Every structure is written in C-alpha cells, then in structure tokens.
Amino acid sequence: MKATTAQPAAGILAAEANDERERIIAMLTKAYWMEVETVVNYLAASINPDGVRAQEIIRSLAEDVHEELGHARQFGERIKELYGVVPGSADFHMDQPFMQPPDDQRDIIAVIRGVIEAETGAIGHYEAIVEASDQTDPVTNDMVIAILHDEQRHRRLFEGFLREYASES
Ligand SMILES: [Fe+2]
Ligand SMILES: [Fe+2]
C-alpha cells in the first residue's frame, strides 16, 4: 500500500492505529471500485434500453450515475484523509457480471434485476464498513451510514419498478 505516514494525532489517525487505518482504507478502496463500476454500468444501462417501458428506467439510471459518482468521490476523499492513495485503473477488478447489457435491449426486467443486485452488493459491503468503523473511526462510520441510506433508497425504488414491470409482462 502506498500510504503516507500520519503526523502525531489521536484516534484513527494515531500512529498506533496504523493497522486499523489500513484495514479501513482497504474496505473504502473496495467501496470506491464498486461505485466506479456501478457508474460504468448504470451509464450503459441509461443509454442501451429500447422501448416506451424503458424510458422511466433510463431517466432514473441517468440520475443515479451522478449520485454514484458522488459516492465514489466521497470514498476517494476519505481514503486520502486516512493517508491512503486513490488507485488508478490498473488496479480495477470488475465484479458485476449481472449488470452486463442483455441480449435483447427491450429486456428491461434484466436491467432492473441487475440494479437490485448491484445495490444489494453495495448495501452488504457498506454495512460491513459501518460495523468495522463503529468503535474506531466515527467519521468514516457517519459518512458510510449516509451512503448506505442512499443505496437502500435506490434498491427500494427498483424493487418497486420490478413489481410493476413483472406484473405487466
Ligand atoms: Fe453508490
Ligand atoms: Fe446506488
């Protein structure tokens, strides 16, 4: 890890908290990549779908692209504050096979299911960060709780879309 050394400080920034800080940086880095991959896939899914029924999904995902990019920025800035380094694309491991464009661009249900799976993955990892930082890093804890709230809202919205679209087809 290319982390720089912290100046004398207390809490998560203390020299004695080095291992704990690196553990949190690693979790934040994974979260950062999850957000970046979500931006890539929501961007595609806000362009590809065909048909009248797809338009509401396209509009919603086009907005989400900005929100998820904002999350990526928050994770990246927290990595820096903890004396980590935000990685470049050479370290990018992609992990969303379920968010690839379907064979039929009218298959909007496949897109909705992919979004729900992406949000569920984010929720699971962010819950783990909230738990890991609960006693040691209240600033990360607070930030990730707010992002977790956004992801729960996204998932709930798309669960509602799935209910509607699945009943129509
Ligand atoms: Fe996000
Ligand atoms: Fe999200």
Side-chain angles (χ1 to χ4, degrees):
M1 184 169 300
K2 291 181 231 168
T4 50
T5 311
Q7 298 299 307
I12 192 65
L13 301 182
E16 310 83 70
N18 229 338
D19 289 352
E20 176 60 14
R21 191 167 61 248
E22 289 194 357
R23 194 167 73 93
I24 290 177
I25 289 170
M27 294 183 91
L28 292 171
T29 301
K30 181 179 175 185
Y32 174 82
W33 284 129
M34 289 172 90
E35 295 290 351
V36 170
E37 185 172 16
T38 297
V39 167
V40 169
N41 285 328
Y42 286 11
L43 179 60
S46 71
I47 297 169
N48 284 328
D50 282 326
V52 173
R53 296 172 78 219
Q55 297 312 307
E56 189 60 33
I57 304 302
I58 283 176
R59 203 182 56 78
S60 185
L61 286 172
E63 279 175 22
D64 281 352
V65 166
H66 298 281
E67 199 166 348
E68 310 296 9
L69 184 59
H71 292 162
R73 171 162 286 279
Q74 282 183 279
F75 283 119
E77 285 175 351
R78 189 62 189 150
I79 289 167
K80 182 182 173 79
E81 287 161 7
L82 293 175
Y83 300 96
V85 176
V86 182
S89 59
D91 293 327
F92 191 5
H93 297 289
M94 282 164 285
D95 204 23
Q96 292 183 349
F98 49 83
M99 264 308 289
Q100 304 313 301
D103 294 335
D104 181 347
Q105 299 313 316
R106 295 169 303 178
D107 186 358
I108 199 65
I109 288 179
V111 174
I112 295 170
R113 286 193 201 282
V115 170
I116 291 172
E117 191 162 345
E119 298 294 340
T120 300
I123 287 167
H125 183 53
Y126 303 170
E127 281 172 343
I129 301 177
V130 168
E131 200 179 314
S133 60
D134 183 47
Q135 299 299 318
T136 53
D137 184 356
V139 175
T140 293
N141 192 260
D142 195 53
M143 182 191 88
V144 178
I145 287 171
I147 296 174
L148 178 60
H149 188 184
D150 289 342
E151 311 302 12
Q152 289 178 347
R153 176 168 46 79
H154 293 161
R155 184 170 68 178
R156 182 65 187 87
L157 179 68
F158 275 76
E159 283 173 348
F161 287 146
L162 181 62
R163 198 158 296 150
E164 179 175 305
Y165 284 70
S167 73
E168 281 173 3
S169 53

